[in-house]
Amino acid sequence: AGNSEQEDLYLANINKIQRAAVEKSRLGIPIINGRDIIHGSKTIFPIPLAQAATWDYDLIKDAASVMSEEASHDGVHWTFAPMLDICCDPRWGRIIECPGEDPLLGQLMARASVDGIQGEDMSKPGKLAACAKHYIGYGASDGGRDKDPTEWSDYSLRNRALPAFREAVNSGIATVMSAFNEISGQPVSASRYHLTDILRGELGFSGFVVSDWDAIVRLKCQGISDNDETSATLAINAGVDMDMVDCLYKNNLKKAVEDGKVSMDTIDEAVRRVLSIKFKLGLFENPYFDEGNYDDKIMTSEYLEKALE
């Protein structure tokens, strides 16, 4: 939240939204509440780039555990972290979120973050679903210009960008976020090769893929689509299961199925993947968060000492 007024509004409404989904909708499926909890919720830790520089698995895991514990008390189920982009250009403004330029450090950050955020069972109190982002190649945008195209040979992609995501998958990460960028002219959020053949086929990822913010509507700007239905069709057929923010799935997929552009099997598989994570989070058993006062569990002396360390 940007300020206390916004935070109060958020906390006052999250259970109301969940109650509408669970008690007043046709299917009673709970929402999954995702937020950008990057390097701390209330207790703030060093930026991920600095955390990676410690080479300390236990310290990074502890930081992730603390932020998950605090965020879960605010009704958060899912964090858009860790960011695992490999980046060598300091002009890129988001370099602070990533582990830097070393694939080995990326693997360390992936394992420690997933272990801290999700634990052995993400349905347990104080745990969240993690999201590895931005899959893939986003941190190598031309000239450090955010969202610009990237040029990766398959060799470089597999040996530099992919290892951290492979480690996240091997650590059991629940979700992956598809990136804005193109790779050699192909937007990743419409690339079946990257999202299905490699991520699912080679790495064995079984969770769900969510697009980055407005990544699907951007397919028109990237020149491979001339309308919203085509953009939604390209993304879901490539392997993007959930559409973030731009509502292209909500507004276009029914017609795309009727037009024969998307199969019901594809829709069912995307739904199955999202529901499976909601089940693993325990949302069907415990959809609501306790709105009680958790001051004794926020910014505790133990957490502050860990941040100082």
Side-chain angles (χ1 to χ4, degrees):
N3 52 56
S4 58
E5 183 179 348
Q6 185 183 35
E7 180 77 355
D8 291 342
L9 182 65
Y10 163 82
L11 291 173
N13 284 284
I14 188 63
N15 270 344
K16 291 180 182 178
I17 295 169
Q18 187 71 287
R19 192 163 285 109
V22 172
E23 301 175 20
K24 299 179 181 180
S25 70
R26 181 172 64 91
L27 297 176
I29 297 171
I31 64 163
I32 179 172
N33 180 27
R35 296 178 77 185
D36 273 306
I37 313 294
I38 305 299
H39 58 105
S41 179
K42 297 295 192 295
T43 304
I44 302 303
F45 290 85
I47 59 172
L49 185 65
Q51 290 189 36
T54 66
W55 290 86
D56 191 323
Y57 164 85
D58 291 325
L59 203 56
I60 298 169
K61 178 184 175 183
D62 287 348
S65 295
V66 170
M67 77 176 194
S68 297
E69 178 72 34
E70 291 185 335
S72 69
H73 293 318
D74 281 346
V76 178
H77 312 126
W78 178 28
T79 177
F80 303 123
M83 196 242 250
L84 300 175
D85 296 293
I86 294 299
C87 180
C88 303
D89 193 331
R91 292 175 295 181
W92 188 49
R94 296 191 69 175
I95 197 171
I96 64 168
E97 282 185 73
C98 76
E101 61 184 339
D102 189 319
L104 183 60
L105 267 179
Q107 291 176 274
L108 170 70
M109 197 72 176
R111 185 171 70 255
S113 298
V114 175
D115 289 351
I117 293 167
Q118 295 185 177
E120 294 182 1
D121 181 353
M122 59 186 173
S123 70
K124 298 295 184 185
K127 293 303 176 186
L128 310 175
C131 182
K133 65 183 188 184
H134 306 84
Y135 182 88
I136 192 170
Y138 180 50
S141 57
D142 291 348
R145 293 180 294 272
D146 195 42
K147 303 178 185 176
D148 262 23
T150 61
E151 291 292 338
W152 287 90
S153 68
D154 212 47
Y155 174 87
S156 295
L157 190 78
R158 290 173 179 277
N159 285 281
R160 295 180 62 197
L162 201 60
F165 289 94
R166 180 184 292 111
E167 191 70 25
V169 171
N170 290 342
S171 298
I173 198 156
T175 69
V176 168
M177 185 184 294
S178 68
F180 289 119
N181 59 285
E182 306 161 21
I183 294 180
S184 303
Q186 173 67 37
V188 174
S189 291
S191 173
R192 187 169 180 83
Y193 172 66
H194 292 100
L195 293 173
T196 297
D197 296 349
I198 295 179
L199 181 61
R200 296 194 183 279
E202 295 185 25
L203 270 59
F205 176 62
S206 60
F208 73 80
V209 174
V210 60
S211 71
D212 205 342
W213 186 292
D214 273 357
I216 298 176
V217 76
R218 279 176 52 84
L219 296 176
K220 292 186 291 185
C221 305
Q222 293 170 304
I224 66 166
S225 168
D226 60 0
N227 62 70
D228 289 345
E229 184 181 341
T230 298
S231 297
T233 297
L234 288 169
I236 197 160
N237 284 339
V240 179
D241 303 301
M242 181 185 285
D243 173 18
M244 184 190 288
V245 176
D246 58 31
C247 293
L248 262 61
Y249 280 11
K250 174 179 176 288
N251 296 332
N252 295 279
L253 282 184
K254 182 175 185 291
K255 186 173 185 301
V257 171
E258 292 170 348
D259 291 344
K261 297 176 181 178
V262 177
S263 72
M264 273 308 301
D265 286 345
T266 297
I267 300 294
D268 288 343
E269 182 61 22
V271 171
R272 185 195 65 77
R273 291 167 180 162
V274 174
L275 287 176
S276 70
I277 297 303
K278 290 185 177 185
F279 275 111
K280 289 177 180 178
L281 278 167
L283 288 176
F284 285 87
E285 294 79 15
N286 298 295
Y288 308 115
F289 82 101
D290 189 340
E291 298 180 51
N293 190 327
Y294 284 100
D295 287 346
D296 60 333
K297 295 183 180 180
I298 301 296
M299 296 182 71
T300 66
S301 57
E302 176 188 357
Y303 292 168
L304 295 174
E305 287 170 10
K306 185 59 67 173
L308 180 61
E309 183 185 351

